[in-house]
Amino acid sequence: MKDLDRALADITAIRSQLARGTQFRGYGPVTVAATGLLALLAAALQALYLPDPGAAPLAWLALWSGMAVLAVIIAAAEMVARSRREHGGLADEMLYAAVEQYIPAGVAGTLLTVVLYRYAADALPLLPGLWQIVFSLGVFASSRALPRGMFAVGVWYLAAGLASLALADAAPFSPLAMAVPFGAGQFLMAFVLYRATGGDDGED
């Protein structure tokens, strides 16, 4: 029985190693581009309904957090379906490896948001830049399992985050501080994925 358990553990380890060494094809360009459109939609809603976000920071956080959650749900649903189609028997391991690489950035971004809102509300205008920097770290962490051009996406988010921090005092809570970095960043990511698949998105 111990030999069987050891053999099963070895097989699991081998499958995990294979998954980490295989390019992840669970992201589709159309869906990634759609998440960029969500950033533009959220910016438009902010401009229309939250002309003074500084007076209603919780509403501002709810708007952008809600859009982020929606984007994650859309991306996750496609990741599962597309991974089943593209990776077959390795789908579960590929999904686990992909999610594992983003978890630290996601947790850090969430905790950073909660701490700033609770203990440093005056620093909330810095959140767009901080979110972009944290997101860039997630992209960098996962880029080794994605097409080579994805590194440029990480560089874009890092540069955009630093620029957003530098301009935070001049235009606090500006919808452009989120729309431009995340809109352009997701479109760039979609383009990289589109090129990597040779123009074949593989989505039904």
Side-chain angles (χ1 to χ4, degrees):
M1 193 66 179
K2 290 183 178 180
D3 290 340
L4 177 59
D5 291 340
R6 187 179 300 110
L8 292 174
D10 289 343
I11 292 172
T12 300
I14 291 171
R15 289 172 62 87
S16 179
Q17 191 64 33
L18 284 173
R20 293 177 186 279
T22 303
Q23 181 172 301
F24 183 63
R25 296 177 61 85
Y27 300 114
V30 172
T31 301
V32 171
T35 62
L37 291 176
L38 285 179
L40 300 182
L41 174 61
L45 291 174
Q46 178 185 327
L48 287 173
Y49 299 108
L50 284 174
D52 184 15
L58 186 57
W60 179 81
L61 281 175
L63 170 63
W64 286 104
S65 297
M67 283 298 179
V69 169
L70 180 58
V72 168
I73 291 172
I74 292 173
E78 189 206 24
M79 281 173 64
V80 173
R82 190 179 174 92
S83 294
R84 304 280 186 224
R85 183 170 63 247
E86 295 286 341
H87 297 297
L90 275 179
D92 289 342
E93 287 81 3
M94 296 296 294
L95 281 168
Y96 178 81
V99 171
E100 183 184 39
Q101 290 159 350
Y102 267 106
I103 283 178
V107 171
T110 301
L111 294 177
L112 185 62
T113 302
V114 172
V115 169
L116 286 185
Y117 178 75
R118 180 65 179 83
Y119 299 105
D122 291 343
L124 284 177
L126 300 177
L127 270 179
L130 294 173
W131 282 336
Q132 290 148 34
I133 291 172
V134 169
F135 191 76
S136 79
L137 297 178
V139 174
F140 285 133
S142 61
S143 61
R144 63 190 175 98
L146 295 172
R148 184 177 302 177
M150 203 60 66
F151 187 83
V153 178
V155 172
W156 162 259
Y157 274 111
L158 177 59
L162 294 173
S164 294
L165 290 177
L167 298 173
D169 284 343
F173 297 109
S174 170
L176 294 179
M178 291 291 286
V180 173
F182 282 102
Q186 294 306 94
F187 291 149
L188 176 59
M189 184 182 294
F191 177 72
V192 170
L193 294 170
Y194 180 81
R195 288 288 299 272
T197 59
D200 179 15
D201 182 45
E203 294 177 288
D204 297 327

